[in-house]
Amino acid sequence: MSSPARPVFEAIRDKLTSALSPSTLEIIDNSHLHASHAAMRGSTDKETHFEVKIVSNAFQGKPLVQRHQMIYKLLDVELKEKGLHALQIQAKTDAEANKS
Amino acid sequence: MASKTNVATILSDEQFKMLAGSATISVANFYADWAEQCKDMNEVFDELSNKFPKLQFLKVEAEEYPDTSEDMEIAAVPTFLVIKQAEAYKPADVAAPAANFSEMTPEQLQARLKALINSNKVMVFLKGTPQEPRCGFSRQVVDLLTEQRTTYGSFNILADETVRAALKEYSNWPTYPQRNDCIGDFQKLAPPEDDINTRLKELINQSPVMLFMKGNPDGPRCGFSRQIVQLLRDQNVKFGYFDILEDDEVRQTLKEFSNWPTYPQLYANGELLGGLDIVKEMIASGDFASCLPPQ
């Protein structure tokens, strides 16, 4: 089996899906927007900045900070070892998503 | 105006040695008449000498007494030094915590200042803190002391309302209040052995609203940090900040402490609110104000 061309993207998709059973999950790769920034200088990582929009009832009853912490925890390896540098997160429950 | 008995204007190097050597504690103001920034500090010095009649205050025109200035390692003016009568040098355990001077009685104030002074052989009154000096001269003093590996305590005169209240000019200082929302940070000068978790807990509680960011509010070093500062300013939130680019130990350990791997991080009342996304969402939903301490 060949290794994925977008390992971080796939890890985000796979880990969040299996842990949170989301109704919707949108992952946007914004790495190219930050490639020239100071923090990225000297880095050869291709997948560094992502936006994640996720709707799941696993977030029911949890304050925003905890929802984000859950997601960060699931992607701990990617953040520490795989070059993932920043995540923009929007985490809603079904009810909240339907309201807007 | 009658001259105060606890204030002496130094007229010779010998006089300085004699006076500094004879009093248990002296507070020395090294100044220069030509230096604009000394005007404010001279007023602070006067105010302090009123408050602490039992301490000896020495005014030294730094350039007139170069030997004394060199002995005391004065790099720039203004410099305040608190000189404790030399005894066996004791390394500082922990620099004194920030004091709330305005709530104290004169006796408590005196005891408090004495405790501050006694915590360190050398005590420096700065504009700002060793971590974030708020003027070029303060920065130079800090650099020099660090270079000399002198352990010292510091006191941020900009953070003391009582002292600052004596100076009209400081009410216009950009860090207070107007539209400027940054409360200068009290950085304790903790020696390396100090428990990092204790240090983090103190940092988090330095201000009711505390932002850990890349860079500083007037010079943010990342887009997310810039945005969050803008939001806080738009919402008229008073906040303290810490530049995590300046301290790698805090930068790495706070991530674990907060269970939050990125910056910026916003704390309110000692609890993590989250990062930029959460602040944005809460402002949009109208929940932000209720999470903050009364402004």
Side-chain angles (χ1 to χ4, degrees):
Chain A
M1 188 162 78
S2 62
S3 45
R6 313 174 62 190
V8 175
F9 177 90
E10 299 199 8
I12 296 176
R13 183 196 60 204
D14 296 343
K15 290 185 180 183
L16 296 189
T17 303
S18 74
L20 301 171
S21 303
S23 333
T24 66
L25 172 59
E26 200 186 331
I27 307 168
I28 302 164
D29 188 341
N30 283 325
S31 310
H32 58 286
L33 297 175
H34 299 266
S36 62
H37 290 181
M40 294 291 104
R41 227 161 266 162
S43 162
T44 49
D45 296 323
K46 289 275 181 319
E47 298 182 284
T48 58
H49 291 67
F50 285 85
E51 215 179 311
V52 169
K53 295 184 187 173
I54 179 169
V55 179
S56 159
N57 281 333
F59 299 132
Q60 189 64 47
K62 294 193 164 60
L64 293 179
V65 63
Q66 270 183 46
R67 301 182 190 190
H68 292 214
Q69 281 170 327
M70 280 165 75
I71 292 170
Y72 282 135
K73 191 138 197 176
L74 289 166
L75 299 172
D76 195 46
V77 171
E78 283 65 37
L79 285 157
K80 287 196 174 132
E81 296 171 24
K82 306 288 184 191
L84 180 57
H85 184 80
L87 274 177
Q88 280 172 269
I89 300 172
Q90 217 191 85
K92 299 193 173 176
T93 61
D94 285 340
E96 288 162 4
N98 293 331
K99 251 197 269 174
S100 48
Chain B
M1 182 167 83
S3 60
K4 289 182 279 203
T5 52
N6 66 331
V7 181
T9 303
I10 294 298
L11 298 170
S12 74
D13 293 311
E14 291 70 38
Q15 186 197 16
F16 180 86
K17 276 203 191 79
M18 188 198 72
L19 288 177
S22 62
T24 316
I25 295 170
S26 310
V27 181
N29 175 16
F30 287 80
Y31 70 97
D33 277 335
W34 51 260
E36 186 65 33
Q37 63 275 9
C38 288
K39 290 210 181 85
D40 297 332
M41 296 301 259
N42 289 346
E43 283 189 55
V44 173
F45 189 75
D46 285 340
E47 177 72 17
L48 285 172
S49 66
N50 285 333
K51 273 190 163 45
F52 301 102
K54 296 221 178 85
L55 301 183
Q56 173 174 261
F57 287 78
L58 306 174
K59 295 170 79 148
V60 186
E61 214 182 326
E63 292 190 321
E64 295 297 308
Y65 305 103
D67 288 341
T68 297
S69 297
E70 207 179 298
D71 280 346
M72 304 311 292
E73 296 173 356
I74 305 302
V77 290
T79 297
F80 278 9
L81 279 188
V82 178
I83 303 157
K84 191 180 161 194
Q85 218 358 262
E87 56 178 48
Y89 172 72
K90 284 184 272 248
D93 295 317
V94 180
N100 204 343
F101 282 78
S102 56
E103 285 166 21
M104 297 180 180
T105 65
E107 295 77 45
Q108 284 174 324
L109 264 170
Q110 187 153 336
R112 191 72 198 85
L113 186 66
K114 265 194 160 164
L116 256 175
I117 291 162
N118 286 323
S119 66
N120 292 278
K121 186 189 182 209
V122 175
M123 188 70 183
V124 179
F125 288 69
L126 298 173
K127 273 190 182 181
T129 64
Q131 183 84 17
E132 304 274 357
R134 297 274 186 184
C135 86
F137 293 88
S138 293
R139 183 176 298 115
Q140 284 185 55
V141 170
V142 168
D143 286 347
L144 238 203
L145 286 170
T146 310
E147 212 181 308
Q148 302 285 323
R149 299 198 173 287
T150 306
T151 309
Y152 65 103
S154 70
F155 183 79
N156 179 3
I157 62 110
L158 295 180
D160 176 17
E161 302 242 27
T162 308
V163 172
R164 196 173 58 240
L167 306 171
K168 288 179 199 157
E169 282 154 79
Y170 276 100
S171 62
N172 286 326
W173 184 257
T175 54
Y176 253 122
Q178 295 285 32
R179 73 166 289 267
N180 278 282
D181 36 39
C182 298
I183 301 170
D185 40 329
F186 295 79
Q187 193 68 45
K188 276 200 186 194
L189 196 71
E193 307 83 59
D194 214 26
D195 177 45
I196 182 64
N197 276 319
T198 311
R199 195 171 162 226
L200 289 180
K201 285 201 192 101
E202 281 156 359
L203 272 176
I204 280 156
N205 287 296
Q206 233 172 235
S207 256
V209 180
M210 191 64 190
L211 176 66
F212 294 85
M213 63 179 289
K214 291 186 178 180
N216 64 66
D218 294 321
R221 303 271 283 268
C222 106
F224 301 132
S225 289
R226 181 183 312 116
Q227 287 181 56
I228 205 172
V229 166
Q230 192 57 54
L231 287 174
L232 291 171
R233 285 182 167 164
D234 289 344
Q235 300 288 315
N236 280 316
V237 176
K238 276 201 199 123
F239 63 96
Y241 74 91
F242 185 92
D243 179 357
I244 55 97
L245 294 178
E246 295 284 311
D247 189 322
D248 209 57
E249 193 187 17
V250 171
R251 181 180 183 169
Q252 299 312 326
T253 54
L254 186 62
K255 287 182 192 176
E256 300 299 321
F257 187 94
S258 305
N259 261 324
W260 197 272
T262 57
Y263 293 101
Q265 293 184 19
L266 188 69
Y267 273 82
N269 294 322
E271 276 190 37
L272 179 68
L273 272 190
L276 174 62
D277 296 329
I278 291 182
V279 171
K280 266 192 201 161
E281 259 189 76
M282 287 175 109
I283 291 174
S285 66
D287 292 327
F288 192 50
S290 56
C291 289
L292 300 175
Q295 289 291 300

